[in-house]
C-alpha cells in the first residue's frame, strides 16, 4: 500500500517539533516539512515545571541537522491549498536546489513520485498530502491596527502617522525575534506599559518587578 504523506508547513518551534514527532511516531509514513529558510527552530534543555508547564531553550539549527530517514524538507512558499483534493500549492525560490536531504538523486525522484510532488506551471508546484499541519504562525494586530478601510486621504495619513509612532515605542511579542527585541529595548527603558493580561504578560510583569530597581513599570 502507498505510504501516508504527512506535510508540515513552517519550521518554527511548533512546525519542527511536530515534524520530528511525526517521524518518530510514524516511521512508516513520509513526512515533508515545507519552509522558506535554511534553518529550523527547535527546543533543548526541556524541564517540566508543573503537570502542564515546561521551560526550554529555543535554538536554531541548519535544516541538514534533521536526520530522520522518513523526513524530506522542501524550501518553498506555501501559497494555496485545496482541502477537497488534498493538494498544497508551493512556489519555489530556487528550482534547482529546493530539496534538502542526504539521499541521492534517484531516491529523491522516487520520493517526489511517492508524495505526488509535480509541477503545475513554471513556478507553482502541487504537493498531495494525506494530513496537513499548518504551523506558519499569524501576523499580530498592532495597537493602532484597524480592519476598517480608510475612506479619506486624511484618515490614511493619520493612520500611517499613528503606526509609525507605535512602531517606534512598542514591541508586539509573538516569537523569539520579538522577545530579543524587547529585551534589547528594556536595557535602557525607565518606564514600560504592558497591554494584555495573558500568560506572557503576567510572566513579563513578574520578571520586570523582580528586576525593576528604580524603574517604573505599569501593567
Amino acid at each position: 500500500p502507498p505510504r501516508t504523506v504527512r506535510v508540515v508547513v513552517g519550521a518554527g518551534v511548533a512546525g519542527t517539533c511536530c515534524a520530528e514527532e511525526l517521524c518518530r511516531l510514524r516511521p512508516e509514513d513520509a513526512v515533508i516539512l515545507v519552509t522558506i529558510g535554511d534553518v529550523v527552530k527547535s527546543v533543548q534543555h526541556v524541564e517540566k515545571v508543573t503537570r502542564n508547564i515546561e521551560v526550554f531553550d529555543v535554538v536554531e539549527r541548519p535544516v541538514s541537522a534533521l536526520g530522520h530517514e522518513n523526513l524530506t524538507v522542501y524550501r518553498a512558499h506555501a501559497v494555496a491549498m485545496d482541502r477537497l483534493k488534498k493538494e498544497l500549492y508551493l512556489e519555489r525560490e530556487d528550482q534547482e536546489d529546493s530539496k534538502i536531504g542526504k539521499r541521492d538523486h534517484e531516491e529523491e525522484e522516487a520520493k517526489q513520485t511517492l508524495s505526488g510532488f509535480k509541477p503545475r506551471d513554471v513556478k507553482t508546484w502541487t504537493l498531495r498530502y494525506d494530513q496537513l499541519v499548518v504551523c506558519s504562525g499569524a501576523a499580530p494586530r498592532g495597537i493602532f491596527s484597524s480592519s476598517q478601510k480608510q475612506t479619506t486621504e486624511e484618515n490614511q495619513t493619520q493612520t500611517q502617522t499613528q503606526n509609525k509612532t507605535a512602531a517606534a515605542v512598542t514591541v508586539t511579542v509573538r516569537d523569539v525575534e520579538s522577545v530579543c527585541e524587547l529585551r534589547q529595548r528594556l536595557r535602557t527603558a525607565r518606564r514600560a506599559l504592558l497591554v494584555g493580561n495573558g500568560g506572557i504578560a503576567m510572566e513579563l510583569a513578574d520578571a520586570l518587578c523582580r528586576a525593576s530597581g528604580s524603574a517604573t513599570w505599569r501593567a
Side-chain angles (χ1 to χ4, degrees):
R3 298 170 68 185
T4 300
V5 178
R6 306 182 188 275
V7 177
V8 180
V9 178
V13 173
T16 303
C17 291
C18 177
E20 292 193 293
E21 279 296 285
L22 287 173
C23 290
R24 183 179 67 85
L25 296 174
R26 304 291 184 183
E28 71 282 0
D29 295 344
V31 180
I32 299 174
L33 179 63
V34 178
T35 177
I36 60 174
D38 297 323
V39 297
V40 297
K41 293 180 180 178
S42 57
V43 300
Q44 64 180 13
H45 306 143
V46 181
E47 297 181 13
K48 199 170 185 63
V49 179
T50 67
R51 182 177 179 181
N52 299 315
I53 298 178
E54 296 177 340
V55 295
F56 51 82
D57 296 327
V58 178
V59 296
E60 290 188 345
R61 297 187 292 166
V63 173
S64 57
L66 302 176
H68 301 277
E69 289 298 324
N70 59 330
L71 175 66
T72 301
V73 179
Y74 287 109
R75 186 165 55 245
H77 294 268
V79 295
M81 62 170 290
D82 189 326
R83 64 181 183 85
L84 297 180
K85 294 182 179 180
K86 289 191 173 181
E87 292 181 344
L88 182 67
Y89 305 127
L90 309 176
E91 284 187 357
R92 305 194 303 178
E93 292 184 344
D94 188 341
Q95 293 288 330
E96 297 182 356
D97 187 26
S98 65
K99 300 183 297 300
I100 302 174
K102 300 178 180 179
R103 302 171 180 82
D104 59 28
H105 180 72
E106 292 182 358
E107 290 177 328
E108 288 293 355
E109 289 297 327
K111 180 167 284 294
Q112 285 192 34
T113 303
L114 172 67
S115 61
F117 193 65
K118 63 180 184 179
R120 294 177 71 226
D121 52 46
V122 176
K123 293 184 178 181
T124 306
W125 290 63
T126 300
L127 177 60
R128 293 197 180 94
Y129 61 85
D130 297 294
Q131 181 183 38
L132 176 65
V133 184
V134 179
C135 302
S136 57
R141 175 176 293 182
I143 293 178
F144 294 111
S145 297
S146 175
S147 59
Q148 298 179 352
K149 289 185 177 181
Q150 304 295 327
T151 56
T152 66
E153 183 176 348
E154 181 180 355
N155 288 340
Q156 292 178 354
T157 302
Q158 182 180 4
T159 300
Q160 291 174 356
T161 302
Q162 290 176 335
N163 288 338
K164 184 176 181 179
T165 302
V169 298
T170 64
V171 176
T172 302
V173 178
R174 69 173 297 269
D175 53 20
V176 177
E177 286 75 15
S178 59
V179 171
C180 292
E181 181 184 358
L182 176 63
R183 179 187 299 173
Q184 184 68 25
R185 292 198 187 190
L186 287 176
R187 290 178 179 176
T188 57
R190 301 291 298 174
R191 303 178 65 186
L193 172 67
L194 303 182
V195 180
N197 63 346
I200 294 177
M202 292 299 97
E203 289 188 15
L204 180 56
D206 179 68
L208 289 174
C209 290
R210 291 175 183 273
S212 61
S214 60
T216 301
W217 309 110
R218 298 182 182 275

